[in-house]
Amino acid sequence: DPRVLIFERGAPGRVNAPQMPRPLAPPADIPSTLLRRAPLALPQVSELQVVRHYTRLSQRNFAIDTHFYPLGSCTMKYNPRAAHVAAQLPGFANRHPLAPESTGQGVLACLFELQEMLKDVTGMRAVSLTPMAGAQGEFAGVAMIRAYHAARNDLARDEILIPKAAHGTNPATAAMCGYRVREIDVRADGDIDLVALNAAIGPRTAGLMLTNPSTLGVFDRHIEDIAQRVHAAGGLLYYDGANLNAILGQVKPGDMGFDVVHLNLHKTFATPHGGGGPGAGPVGVGERLLPFLPVPMVGESGGRYYWITEKTRPQSIGRLSTFAGNVGVLLRAYVYARLVGREGMARIAHYAALNANYLLERLSRLGFEPAYPGRRAAHEFLLTLKGLKERTGVTALDVAKRLLDKGYHAPTIYFPLMVPECLLIEPTETESRDEIDGFVAAMAEILAEAETTPELLKAAPHTLPVRRVDEVRAARALDLVWKAHPASA
Amino acid sequence: DPRVLIFERGAPGRVNAPQMPRPLAPPADIPSTLLRRAPLALPQVSELQVVRHYTRLSQRNFAIDTHFYPLGSCTMKYNPRAAHVAAQLPGFANRHPLAPESTGQGVLACLFELQEMLKDVTGMRAVSLTPMAGAQGEFAGVAMIRAYHAARNDLARDEILIPKAAHGTNPATAAMCGYRVREIDVRADGDIDLVALNAAIGPRTAGLMLTNPSTLGVFDRHIEDIAQRVHAAGGLLYYDGANLNAILGQVKPGDMGFDVVHLNLHKTFATPHGGGGPGAGPVGVGERLLPFLPVPMVGESGGRYYWITEKTRPQSIGRLSTFAGNVGVLLRAYVYARLVGREGMARIAHYAALNANYLLERLSRLGFEPAYPGRRAAHEFLLTLKGLKERTGVTALDVAKRLLDKGYHAPTIYFPLMVPECLLIEPTETESRDEIDGFVAAMAEILAEAETTPELLKAAPHTLPVRRVDEVRAARALDLVWKAHPASA
Amino acid sequence: MPFIPHTAAETAAMLEATGARSLDDLFDEIPARLRSGPLTHVPEALTEHEIGRLMRERAAADGEFLTFVGAGAYEHHIPAAVWEIAGRGEFYTAYTPYQAEASQGTLQLLYEFQTMIASLVGLDVANASLYDGASALAEAVLMAVRLHGRSRRVLIPETVHPLYRQVVQTIVSAQAITLDLVPMDGAGTTDVGGLASRLAGAAGLVIPQPNFLGCLEDVHAMVAAARAAGVLAIGLVNPIACALIVPPGEWGPGCDIAVGEGQPLGAPLSSGGPYFGFMACRREHVRQMPGRIVGRTVDAAGHEAYTLTLQAREQHIRRSRATSNICTNQGLLVTAATVHMALLGPEGLRRVAAAAHANTAMLRARLEAIPGVRAAFPDTPFFHEVVLRLPVPVPEVLRALEAQGILGGCALGEFYPAFADSLLVCATETKTETDIAHYAHHLERIVTRRRLDPPCAYKDDNPRSP
Amino acid sequence: MPFIPHTAAETAAMLEATGARSLDDLFDEIPARLRSGPLTHVPEALTEHEIGRLMRERAAADGEFLTFVGAGAYEHHIPAAVWEIAGRGEFYTAYTPYQAEASQGTLQLLYEFQTMIASLVGLDVANASLYDGASALAEAVLMAVRLHGRSRRVLIPETVHPLYRQVVQTIVSAQAITLDLVPMDGAGTTDVGGLASRLAGAAGLVIPQPNFLGCLEDVHAMVAAARAAGVLAIGLVNPIACALIVPPGEWGPGCDIAVGEGQPLGAPLSSGGPYFGFMACRREHVRQMPGRIVGRTVDAAGHEAYTLTLQAREQHIRRSRATSNICTNQGLLVTAATVHMALLGPEGLRRVAAAAHANTAMLRARLEAIPGVRAAFPDTPFFHEVVLRLPVPVPEVLRALEAQGILGGCALGEFYPAFADSLLVCATETKTETDIAHYAHHLERIVTRRRLDPPCAYKDDNPRSP
C-alpha cells in the first residue's frame, strides 16, 4: 500500500551498501561538542523499497503526461523529453558553477542564444536569465523600477498600481520591494477601468504591473493608452509574462510600451512544472532599465562567451541566486525554443488561441456562462458558475472535483477572486481536438449531473485514490511532519 | 481512457515534425513497381498523445518496481537502475557492431571480465556470452553436445534425458537439436528416480538436461551419482541455469559434474525482464566442449581485447545472432556483478534461501500444503492446493487472481505440470521481511475467504483494470491485429 | 549487503522461524564436498559511484564516430521519448504477461505492435517478437519446413546477409534441413533465371529486400516463381524500407512469411544488441508461427481485454512438439519500437526512408566523383546502402578514416572474396550534407595521397567531432 | 508543426466553430499596429535529431574535470534511481498540488520531505522548499524581522558565503532592513566576543555551520548569546554536515530557524542550478514561514490524506500581506532529494559526511606537505572544506591545474582581499586517494617548477581523465 509512509517501512540498521562509502569512525578532529548525537529519523529501507514506494506514489498524481490538465494561468503544455535528456548530459550536469568560463563555452553559448531569442520575442533590449521563478522575475522587475527612480533621485514614488485581477504574486512582490499597492478596478468587459486608473495615477506612481492578456483571459484593448498615461506620470510599466504564451510571436510587450517584462519559461517555454518547480523567470528590459538588470548575465565577444557580473554592472540590483539561476531549466527552454523555431513561435499563440476559443465556444453552447461574453478568449478563458450554483447548489469546487473522476485535471478555480464561482480554463496548443472534445463531453455530463444528481457532485471525487480531502482540518490540526509512535521511535 | 487503442486516436495527417526529416519527393531512382502503394496503418498522433497513451498503459502493469512479484522460476529480483543508466551511456549505446575493435576496448573489457566472472561462478572452463535468452543458451548447449558426439563420430546417440519436472524449453530445445526426448520420473521426495534413470540411460544417451535445484524447488541430493552414471554411459550433462540464483557462490555446476551450463542473466544477474525480454543466456563449458562454443567470444592479449570468431574456432557450433548477442544486457549484468562483488555472490543464495524457507515455513503453518514436505526450499518452493480445491472448489488459478486484488503478483501456477493445483513461489533475496510478511497475511486472508466466500475468489480479480480475462475466447475467436472500422479506415 | 535488505536481527529471527541454525544450514541437502570455496575471479564489490565512474570512463574510451556503416544495423534518430517511456519501471521490470489482468499495459502495447508490424509488411498477423533478424530468419525457415511438410530444403540467396546465413545454418542444421545457396548475378541481385530449377521440391525461398548489398531484388518475380512451384516465400526486409518500398505481402502473389531485424525501429546500435526480430505471416499459417502472440478478447464483465493466446504452440505447453523453444523474447525492445513507430507515424517512417535513401544517393555521387572510386552495381536500384569499389586497399582506407573519427563502411572482402576491393556504405537520415562532404573530403585525400605519406600522417589537424 | 497536433482539416473545422475566418482573426482585439513582424533573432526550427546533436557537441565541449571546488556547490554521488524516479512523467509534468485528490503522490512525498528536513536540522517543522540556499537565507532574514516585530537589523557574519550575502542584500534591501556585518577573527570564524554588543536591539543573527571557509563556528555560544539578547537565531547549514555535526535545533538553546542549500541532496552541479533551498523552524513560528507547506489530514471517508495547508500565509490568498511572493518553488529537486535521502538513510548520509571530511583532511595533509603550501587556519576545526595559502599566484595555479583536467578550488581573493593568496579546496566522498595524490602531484610540480617554464609547459603528456 503506497499510503504507508516511507518511515513506516524498513528496519533499524537496514542500509543500501552500493549507495554509500565504506564506514569510517567519527572524525577525531571535530570537537565532540560539535558532533551530532541526536538520532536522524531518515528511513532505513532497501533500494527496492524506495523505488517501489515512490514509483507507486507517482502513480497517484495527475500530470500532463497522464491527463489533460487545463489549469488556467499555468500553461500546462507538453514538456518535450528531448529537453530533459539534453539538460542531463554529463558535460552539462556535472559542471561546477564556479568552474572557469573556459570550461563552459557550451553551456554559455546556449544561455547567450536563449537571451537573444527572449529579447526578440519580448521586444526588449536585454535579458537576464537569473531569476529562478516567475515571482523572482517579478521581484527583479519591480526592484529595477525602484532602482531606476532611486538613481534619478525621484524618491517620492512609493506606489505600484495593480489591477484587481492580478496574480497574488504581483501585490506580494510590490510589498517585498517596499511599495504600497493600489488596486485598480476592472470593467465589466474585462479591460482596465481607465477612470479608476486615472484617479490612482500620480506623482506617487512608481509603476504599473500588468498581465496582458489578463488573468481574465482577455487582451486589454487600451494598452497603448494605459502605457501612455503611466509614462506621462513618470511611472514605468511592468509586464507579467504569465500569459505570454497567448501572444508569442503575435505582439511584443516592448511594442505595447512595457519597460520591463518577466517570462515564465516553465509555462511559455515548456520546461517542466515538476510538481511545483523549478521554474525560471528571466527578465527583459528596455533602454531605461538596462543598467539595473540582475547579474549574472552572459556576454559574447569574438566568439567567446563570458559572465557579466556586478563588477561591470555597478548599478545592477544584484544577485538573486548564489550562482546563475536555474541553468538546467534554461537549457531545457533553449532546446524547446530551437525545436519550435522562428515560425513556430507565432504558431504557438495561434493554436493556443484556437484551442481556447474553440473550447469556449463549445462550452458556451452547452450552457456554461462566460465571465466576459463577447470577448475573444486569449489562450484561456473564464467561466462563472454563479448561475449554476444558484440553481443547483453545485459550486465550482464540486465541478472541479467531478472532473477528476472523469479523467481530467480541474481548471483553476476561484481565481481571479473577483469573479464568483469561476473556472479559468487553459487548454494550451499542444492538446488535440480529440482531447478537447473529450473534455467538452465530460463537462456536458457534469452539467446534466448537476441538474439531476447534485449530491453526486458534492461528494466527488469518487474514483481517485482518496475522497474529498478535508482542508479545514489540515489547517486546524496541523500535522506537518511524521512522528514515530512511541513504540517504534 | 488508456484502453482506447493508439490507432483510434489522432487524425489523418497529424505529424510530429521534430521527430522526422523534412519531406522529400519519392525517389526517382527506384522503379515504381517497387515503391509502396499500400497505406501504412501506423497511428497519426501527437508526441503528447504518444507519451500520455503509453505512460497510462504502463500504469496498468504489475512490475517489480511496483509490486512483490514472487513468480516462481523467474527470479524477479530488483533490477538496479545504475545498470540501466550505464548501459545507455552514449559511448556504449551508439557503437556500431561492426566498428573495429580499436573503438571498442571499453565494451570489450566489460564483456571479457563478465566471461571471467561467469566462469568462476559456474566452475566452467570458458564462457560464450552470445546466446540471447535462456532458451537460446539451452540450444547452444545441446548443439554443443551434439557437435561433441559428432566430432567423435559417436553417431548413435539420439536421445536426451529430461526429468518430467523440467521447463518446457528443455524438451523443445532437444527437439530443435534433432534429439528424441526421454522423460524421467521424479520420486515423491522431489529427487530424480534413479531407477527410472538407469532404465533410460544407455548407448543412445547423448546427454541429460537438468535444473538443480529443480523446478520443484529442491536440490537433487544424488547429483554426483547421476553425473557419474551419465558420464559412464558416454553422455554429457547439461545444467539449466534457471535456478542458479539458489546456489550462487555455494556450489558450482562444474563441481557437480556438469559439462555445459547456461545462465539466465535476467534472473541471476538482475537484468530487467522488460515485459518479456531481452534476456541473455551465456553458456559455459568444461574441457570437452571447449572447441564447440558459439561465437563470437572476447579474448584478451597483452591488455587488448578482441573478438574470437569462427576463423579461429573451426569447430564452433557457429553464430546465434547477427552480431554479438544482447550486448546491452551483458553490460547491465556486468554492472550488477561488480556491485555485488565476490562476497556478495554467495550472499545472494544465502538470502534467497532464507526468504524462501521462511516463507515456506510461515505458509505451512497457515495450513498451505508443501508439495515436498520435509525438504529444504531452495530459492523457491512448491505448494499444492489439491486439498483446498477438493474442500472448497477453489483452484490455484483462483488464488492467483485473488492475490492480484491484494496487491501481489501471483506466483507461477500449474507448473510443473505434474503437481496438481500448484503454486511455485520465489520471493528472491531482494525482498524484505516486511514485504514477505505482508504476502503471508494476504495468503491467510485468501485461505479464510476460500473457506467462507469461495465465490469471491472464483470471480477474482475485482480491483484490477480488467476483470478475469476470457482466454478461451481469445484462442477461439482470434483477434490479433486491429482493423479500422470501415468508417475510420 | 548489496541489494539484500536483511538486518542482522531480521536474519536471526527468520532463521529461527525456519529451524535452521545458520544460513549455511539452509544448504545442508547439498553434499558438503561440493560446496564452493571463495570465488577467485570475481573482484570485491564496488559502490555504485565507483562502477559508475568506471563505466563512464570505458564508454568515453570507446568514443563517438561519424558512422557510415550499415550492413545490418543502422543509426537512426531515436526520439528521446522512446526510452524515457520504455525505461519506466512498469515496462522495464515486468515479465512476460502471464497474469493478463495484471499486465494489460504490456498486452495492449503488444497488440498494437502486432498491428503495426502486420501493416508495415502487408501481412495478416504478426507475433510479439523473436530475438533478432537472423534468428527470426532461422525460425522462418523452420516454419516454412513445417508448413510445407514434405521438403527439408530451403533456398537462400547469396545476397542474404552473410551473418544471417551463418546463424540460420547454426540453428536449422540439426534438423536435417538443407540450405541451398542461390548465386548472385553481376548486378548484385539474385539470378532469377536460374531459380525455377532450384525451386522444384524446395520448402521455402528466402527473399531479401533490399539485399545485403543494398540492391533491390526482383521480388515480384521471385515470389511468383515460388508460388508456382509450391514453395513458401519468406520475405526478409528492413522495416524502414517497408515504409517506402513495396512490402512482402504485396510482392507478386504475396509472401507467406515476412521477417526482419527490428533494430532500426528505436533500438540503439549498442555493439549489436539487444535488438529484436519481427515476424508476420498469412492468417492461415498462424498456428505454425513461433513466439508469443497476443489476442484481444473480453473480461468477465464483457469489456475488451488482452491476453497471450495460441499458447498451445509454445514450449511450456507442447514441450518437445512446440513450434520453437523460444520463451523470453525481446519485450523491452518491442516496447521501444511501438512507441517509436507511434511517434514517427506513417509519414515519419516514409520520410526517414526517403531521407536515408537520398543521403546514400548523395554519398554515392560524392564518392564516385573521386578518381578510381566507382559503384559496383551502377545500374541496379538500391535502398540506402551501396557497394563501392576502391582503388586502394580497403583496410587501409578504413584505418585512415577511423583516425579522422569516421567509420567508413563495411569491408566486403571478409564476406565475398570477389569484393575484396569493395566497401558497403550507408548514410541514414542522421547524416547531413556536411557530414557527407566531410567523408568525401577525407576519402579523396586518402585515395589520392596514399603514396606520399603513411596513413598516420593523414590525420587532420582539426578533426571534426561527429 | 512542432508540438501542435492540429491538421489543416481540424484547424478549419475549429475555426469555423469559433466564427473566426483565420487564425489571425482570433487576435483581432489587439490593435493592429502592435502586431509583430517576423522574429529576427530566433533561428529556424531544428529537428530533435539536430538539436540533440548540437547539445551533445556542446556538452562534450564543456568536458569533464576532476573537481576540487566546493564553495557552496558540492559534487556528491547521486544514485541512478534518484533521477530515474524524479524524471517519471507523473512527477516531472505535474504542477503544484492544488487539487489534492489528484496529487496525493506529490503531496505525500512532500510530507515525507518535510519530515526528513525537520529531523536533519533538529527543528519541529519544515516547508516544501525555497529557490536555493541564498534566497532561503534571505527569506529567513525577512521571517526573523517579521517574528521580532521591532527591529529591522540583522547580523550576518563575514564568514557567510559572500554570494549569499549579496543575494540577501538584493532581496531585503528594499524593506529598509539593515545587514550588520560581523567580522571574522584570525581563526576563520566569527568573533563571538564582540557579538554581545552588536546583538543588542537586533532582530536576527545568521550563523553559518560550517562557514564559507569550511571552519566550524562556536554555534552553541552564538545561539546562547542571541537567545539572551532576544534575537532570533538563524542557522545556515550544509545538509550533509548535519548528518555528522550537531544540527541547528541543538545549538545551545536551539536555533529558531534553519535554512540551507539542498543541492548536496541529489541535485547535479549543473553550472549552478536548479538547486533548492530548505527551511525549518520551531513550531510556534510556522505561520511566519514562507513557501508551500503540506499537512496530513483525512478525506471524506476518514482515511489519511495530504493537502497544501496554511495557505492563508501565501500570496495567492493574502496578496500584498503574504509572507513572501514565492509561488513556484523547486518541487522536482525536492522529489529527487526525498528519494536521495531515502536511499542513503541515516547511515548513508553519515558515511558521506565522514568520507567527505576524511578526504578533505587527507587532501589538506597531502597539499600541506608541498613546500610553501599551508593551511590558513591550522587549528580551527573544519568540515570537508579548507583554506590553503599558496606560494605562487592562485590564478596561475588554477590555470595550470585546469590544463591537467583538474579544477583546483575556489580562489578566495575575489571575495576576501586578505586571502588573495588562498584557495578554498574540497574533496567530497567522490574523490579517491588516487585522485587526491594526482592533485597533490600536479600542484607540487606547478609550485616547484614555476620559474622554469611557462604554465602551458606543465601539461602532462598523459593527463588522467577524471
Side-chain angles (χ1 to χ4, degrees), chain A residues 84-376:
Chain A
H84 183 52
V85 169
Q88 291 187 311
L89 288 167
F92 294 136
N94 300 337
R95 185 173 179 277
H96 194 283
L98 298 176
E101 286 157 356
S102 53
T103 71
Q105 291 299 301
V107 62
L108 290 171
C110 297
L111 300 183
F112 181 81
E113 292 173 17
L114 180 61
Q115 288 174 180
E116 294 297 303
M117 291 190 282
L118 297 185
K119 279 160 61 178
D120 199 5
V121 300
T122 58
M124 290 288 149
R125 280 287 312 277
V127 163
S128 168
L129 301 172
T130 187
M132 291 179 286
Q136 223 195 20
E138 291 183 38
F139 176 88
V142 179
M144 284 190 276
I145 291 175
R146 188 182 178 86
Y148 168 81
H149 294 307
R152 293 159 48 98
N153 217 18
D154 187 358
L155 303 175
R157 299 184 182 273
D158 64 349
E159 288 181 353
I160 291 279
L161 311 183
I162 301 177
K164 274 200 177 149
H167 287 110
T169 49
N170 289 178
T173 298
M176 278 188 83
C177 291
Y179 283 113
R180 210 166 76 85
V181 172
R182 284 193 71 159
E183 295 206 322
I184 310 297
D185 273 331
V186 173
R187 297 191 314 207
D189 66 3
D191 290 343
I192 282 185
D193 184 337
L194 294 176
V195 177
L197 181 66
N198 268 342
I201 226 160
R204 295 179 66 179
T205 302
L208 168 73
M209 298 181 80
L210 201 64
T211 314
N212 198 19
S214 72
T215 56
L216 307 175
V218 298
F219 187 90
D220 198 304
R221 294 165 288 195
H222 310 102
I223 179 59
E224 293 167 294
D225 193 10
I226 294 166
Q228 192 275 325
R229 288 174 201 219
V230 173
H231 283 147
L236 296 180
L237 267 89
Y238 178 89
Y239 183 85
D240 178 331
N243 295 341
L244 186 68
N245 209 55
I247 57 165
L248 199 63
Q250 303 291 343
V251 50
K252 300 180 182 183
D255 293 341
M256 291 190 238
F258 286 93
D259 300 288
V260 48
V261 47
H262 92 261
L263 298 88
N264 297 82
L265 297 184
H266 48 296
K267 298 180 182 177
T268 313
F269 283 76
T271 69
H273 284 72
V283 282
V285 295
E287 191 68 30
R288 284 187 278 193
L289 294 182
L290 273 179
F292 308 107
L293 277 167
V295 288
M297 297 187 285
V298 180
E300 184 265 349
S301 170
R304 298 293 290 175
Y305 301 94
Y306 59 93
W307 290 115
I308 297 168
T309 68
E310 50 282 338
K311 286 180 189 145
T312 56
R313 293 276 175 154
Q315 288 188 285
S316 165
I317 58 162
R319 278 183 185 264
L320 295 165
S321 72
T322 316
F323 301 109
N326 288 337
V327 177
V329 176
L330 302 172
L331 287 175
R332 286 173 174 83
Y334 174 74
V335 170
Y336 174 76
R338 298 298 307 268
L339 285 167
V340 165
R342 181 183 299 159
E343 309 294 325
M345 294 287 167
R347 266 198 306 251
I348 287 170
H350 270 149
Y351 285 88
L354 179 63
N355 278 356
N357 283 284
Y358 173 77
L359 179 52
L360 170 60
E361 177 62 27
R362 293 218 45 200
L363 292 178
S364 300
R365 286 197 205 164
L366 288 180
F368 285 99
E369 187 184 341
Y372 297 96
R375 296 296 306 267
R376 291 279 188 215

Side-chain angles (χ1 to χ4, degrees), chain C residues 74 88 240:
Chain C
Y74 301 91
R88 285 174 58 84
I240 299 291

Side-chain angles (χ1 to χ4, degrees), chain A residues 11-47:
Chain A
R14 190 172 289 171
V15 296
N16 291 310
Q19 299 303 353
M20 54 185 72
R22 286 153 189 95
L24 289 173
D29 59 335
I30 297 181
S32 67
T33 56
L34 291 182
L35 288 176
R36 181 176 185 124
R37 285 176 304 275
L40 182 50
L42 296 183
Q44 302 187 51
V45 286
S46 70
E47 181 163 331

Side-chain angles (χ1 to χ4, degrees), chain C residues 89-173:
Chain C
E90 297 95 322
F91 286 133
Y92 188 73
T93 73
Y95 194 32
T96 305
Y98 294 122
Q99 292 292 338
E101 298 84 357
S103 314
Q104 288 295 300
T106 288
L107 285 162
Q108 182 176 328
L109 180 145
L110 291 175
Y111 179 83
E112 293 178 354
F113 170 78
Q114 291 173 180
T115 301
M116 292 179 192
I117 292 293
S119 173
L120 198 56
V121 302
L123 284 168
D124 301 324
V125 292
N127 75 6
S129 83
L130 298 163
Y131 303 131
D132 74 350
S135 62
L137 180 60
E139 290 281 8
V141 165
L142 296 174
M143 181 176 165
V145 167
R146 286 195 301 274
L147 284 167
H148 192 273
R150 297 174 310 280
S151 165
R152 301 187 81 75
R153 184 168 61 88
V154 172
L155 306 186
I156 189 161
E158 199 181 354
T159 60
V160 167
H161 196 309
L163 297 175
Y164 279 45
R165 285 190 267 121
Q166 289 185 36
V167 171
V168 174
Q169 180 64 34
T170 303
I171 292 176
V172 310
S173 61

Side-chain angles (χ1 to χ4, degrees), chain B residues 113-399:
Chain B
E113 292 173 16
L114 180 61
Q115 287 176 182
E116 293 297 302
M117 291 191 281
L118 297 184
K119 279 159 61 177
D120 198 6
V121 300
T122 58
M124 291 285 148
R125 280 288 310 278
V127 163
S128 168
L129 302 173
T130 186
M132 290 178 286
Q136 221 193 23
E138 291 183 39
F139 176 88
V142 178
M144 284 190 277
I145 290 175
R146 187 181 178 89
Y148 168 81
H149 294 306
R152 293 158 50 94
N153 217 17
D154 187 357
L155 303 176
R157 299 184 182 275
D158 65 348
E159 288 181 354
I160 291 279
L161 310 182
I162 300 177
K164 275 200 174 148
H167 287 109
T169 50
N170 289 179
T173 298
M176 277 189 84
C177 291
Y179 283 114
R180 211 166 74 84
V181 172
R182 285 193 70 160
E183 295 208 322
I184 311 295
D185 272 333
V186 173
R187 296 193 315 209
D189 66 3
D191 290 344
I192 281 185
D193 185 336
L194 294 176
V195 178
L197 180 66
N198 268 342
I201 225 160
R204 295 179 65 178
T205 302
L208 169 72
M209 298 181 80
L210 201 65
T211 313
N212 197 20
S214 72
T215 56
L216 307 174
V218 298
F219 188 90
D220 197 305
R221 294 165 292 196
H222 310 104
I223 180 60
E224 293 166 293
D225 193 10
I226 293 166
Q228 191 275 322
R229 290 175 200 219
V230 173
H231 283 149
L236 296 180
L237 267 88
Y238 177 90
Y239 184 84
D240 177 331
N243 296 340
L244 186 69
N245 208 54
I247 58 165
L248 198 64
Q250 302 290 341
V251 50
K252 300 180 182 183
D255 294 341
M256 293 190 234
F258 285 93
D259 300 288
V260 48
V261 46
H262 92 261
L263 297 90
N264 298 83
L265 297 184
H266 49 295
K267 298 180 183 177
T268 313
F269 284 76
T271 67
H273 284 71
V283 282
V285 295
E287 191 67 31
R288 283 189 278 193
L289 295 182
L290 273 180
F292 308 107
L293 277 166
V295 289
M297 296 186 289
V298 180
E300 183 266 346
S301 171
R304 296 293 290 175
Y305 302 93
Y306 60 91
W307 290 114
I308 297 168
T309 67
E310 50 281 336
K311 287 183 189 142
T312 57
R313 295 276 177 152
Q315 288 189 285
S316 164
I317 58 163
R319 274 179 189 267
L320 294 165
S321 71
T322 316
F323 301 109
N326 287 339
V327 177
V329 177
L330 302 171
L331 288 175
R332 286 173 174 83
Y334 174 74
V335 170
Y336 175 76
R338 297 299 306 269
L339 285 167
V340 165
R342 181 182 298 158
E343 309 293 326
M345 294 287 167
R347 265 197 309 249
I348 286 170
H350 269 149
Y351 286 88
L354 179 64
N355 277 358
N357 282 282
Y358 172 77
L359 180 52
L360 170 59
E361 176 62 27
R362 292 215 49 199
L363 292 178
S364 300
R365 285 196 205 164
L366 288 181
F368 285 99
E369 186 183 342
Y372 297 96
R375 295 296 306 269
R376 290 277 189 220
H379 65 322
E380 63 189 352
F381 58 89
L382 202 55
L383 300 180
T384 172
L385 303 187
K386 187 159 167 281
L388 184 73
K389 183 181 176 190
E390 283 164 4
R391 210 161 61 243
T392 65
V394 165
T395 64
L397 183 70
D398 299 332
V399 170

Side-chain angles (χ1 to χ4, degrees), chain C residues 435-454:
Chain C
D435 298 332
I436 290 167
H438 181 69
Y439 182 8
H441 165 70
H442 281 290
L443 184 62
E444 180 159 20
R445 291 178 69 237
I446 293 160
V447 164
T448 55
R449 291 170 51 184
R450 64 182 283 270
R451 281 178 194 84
L452 303 176
D453 300 296

Side-chain angles (χ1 to χ4, degrees), chain A residues 59-112:
Chain A
Q59 295 178 340
R60 294 160 69 86
N61 272 0
F62 279 31
I64 301 171
D65 277 8
T66 58
H67 294 82
F68 181 47
Y69 207 124
L71 192 67
S73 171
C74 296
T75 311
M76 301 299 283
K77 60 184 180 180
Y78 176 61
N79 305 144
R81 283 277 149 179
H84 183 52
V85 169
Q88 291 187 311
L89 288 167
F92 294 136
N94 300 337
R95 185 173 179 277
H96 194 283
L98 298 176
E101 286 157 356
S102 53
T103 71
Q105 291 299 301
V107 62
L108 290 171
C110 297
L111 300 183
F112 181 81

